[in-house]
Amino acid sequence: MATTAEFDVVVLGAGPVGQNVAERARAANLRVAMVERELVGGECSYWACVPSKALLRPVIALSDVRRVDGARQAVTGTIDPAGVFSRRDRYVTNWDDAGQAEWVAGIGATLMRGHGRLDGARQVVVSTATGEETRLLARHAIVVCTGSRPALPDLPGIAEARSWTNRQATDSSEVPERLAVVGAGGVGVEMATAWRGLGSKVTLLARGSGLLPRMEPFVGEFIGRGLSSAGVDVRTGVSVRSLHRPTPDGPVTLELHDNTELQVDEVLFATGRAPLTDDIGLQTIGLSPGSWLDVDDTCQVRAVDDGWLYAAGDVNHRALLTHQGKYQGRIAGAAIGARAAGTPLDTGPWGTHATTADHYAVPQAFFTDPEAAAVGLTAEQASAAGHRTRTVDIEIGDVVTGAKLYADGYAGRARMVVDEDEHYLLGLTLVGPAATEMLHSATIAVAGRVPVARLWHAVPCFPTVSELWLRLLEAYRDSAD
């Protein structure tokens, strides 16, 4: 027989998104229960952002050293995979979530370990592995923060091949001699970078004509050249027709669309994500299992009456990025607190409780070699949205002294997209060494809609790579002449 407990807010999923919801709801003095069926900390902490960057940093650091004369001569060996894996294991705390569970307790929330499923309005049933059940009643809100899962293509032999997803790509501690990476989005290009750096012979298969297709086209060109120079076999316009792995420990054969074959030791599919909502009881409230959850700007699910259901992070399909999900979590938690107290949503020190940045100021960073970073709209997206724009490009290594000092032969590009009617930035894209560390200034400019005329007075330090801002503004000025 199930026990029953009542809370103000029940959060499904104790990853970074759920944690931000809980923290803001607790700040409003609401009683919060967090339900987690795997590790507290979620995908990001153990199989995505954290371990992938732990694997990539040694690879990028070594490349950076080799770009500086006088330093490159000090590099006499190769990357030590065992050392890299040990470093990764430290950052994922050996897949032990005790510290994160302590954090949940520390903010005064209640952690419920088990599989949480909706069971009608404002109710969640938590089932444990031993068959025990607890029914949770939510006075104010239930927030779905269950994230997403890999979306594998329906190909003959894919189950037999025991393909890698992002999880195996980030938690494996054996370097395959040959690795095929299928997919040219963020996971694909980052893992191709990491595993090539660790010593695997990597083949990257992109179905489209370029890499990172949602970014400015030149980004994929730079990254493609970088991967190729590192020894990755980059193939575009290629799709997989079937897979074969006759023996569990044997090689995998990929049959490609052009009737050629590729034989590797492991194959990673990085072909998109699907919402992790298949088994959370959506059918009990009239929604379809396995669907994305459409939300408003406070993360309330539109299709549910009375406003008690929220969804933050990947499940709402706005921006499948950890930092954006955490932002949504903060907004949702604060909005729930304000509504519970009966106070307006646009007051207080944090401003309006609405995810406005989801619409025009989403930052993204990829830790490839060279790195890529962008915020806001691309030139094509801005034009499609009806903006009258002007686009300016600079070759960073040609015109920025700080870049030349940072790396001999610095190769990179920056693009600024400006709204010509309102005279503020719509987007900025960077590719080049250390590009990711320069993104936040652009994010502030885009999110704040800082007028271009005012940006002239944000003086970059000389000689830093950030001087690219001055060069972009000069190029913008000169293009008007």
Side-chain angles (χ1 to χ4, degrees), residues 387-390 417-426 445 449-455 473 476:
H387 295 280
R388 189 173 69 88
T389 65
R390 194 181 339 158
V417 182
V418 180
D419 186 304
E420 284 293 87
D421 294 317
E422 301 294 335
H423 303 292
Y424 60 76
L425 267 64
L426 293 168
R449 295 185 171 177
V450 180
V452 171
R454 190 63 202 161
L455 287 176
L473 291 168
Y476 176 75

Side-chain angles (χ1 to χ4, degrees), residues 60-85:
I60 304 303
L62 187 57
S63 291
D64 283 343
V65 170
R66 287 173 171 160
R67 278 191 274 262
V68 180
D69 194 21
R72 70 172 62 94
Q73 288 79 6
V75 179
T76 57
T78 58
I79 279 182
D80 172 30
V84 175
F85 296 142

Side-chain angles (χ1 to χ4, degrees), residues 423-462:
H423 303 292
Y424 60 76
L425 267 64
L426 293 168
L428 189 132
T429 298
L430 305 165
V431 62
T436 59
E437 297 301 332
M438 294 181 283
L439 181 61
H440 195 56
S441 55
T443 302
I444 293 170
V446 173
R449 295 185 171 177
V450 180
V452 171
R454 190 63 202 161
L455 287 176
W456 278 103
H457 301 281
V459 182
C461 288
F462 180 86

Side-chain angles (χ1 to χ4, degrees), residues 218-253:
F218 67 81
V219 173
E221 295 169 6
F222 272 84
I223 291 175
R225 288 196 294 269
L227 287 170
S228 295
S229 65
V232 175
D233 180 5
V234 179
R235 305 184 192 181
T236 58
V238 177
S239 58
V240 179
R241 228 165 40 186
S242 64
L243 302 95
H244 307 279
R245 190 172 208 164
T247 60
D249 296 324
V252 184
T253 300

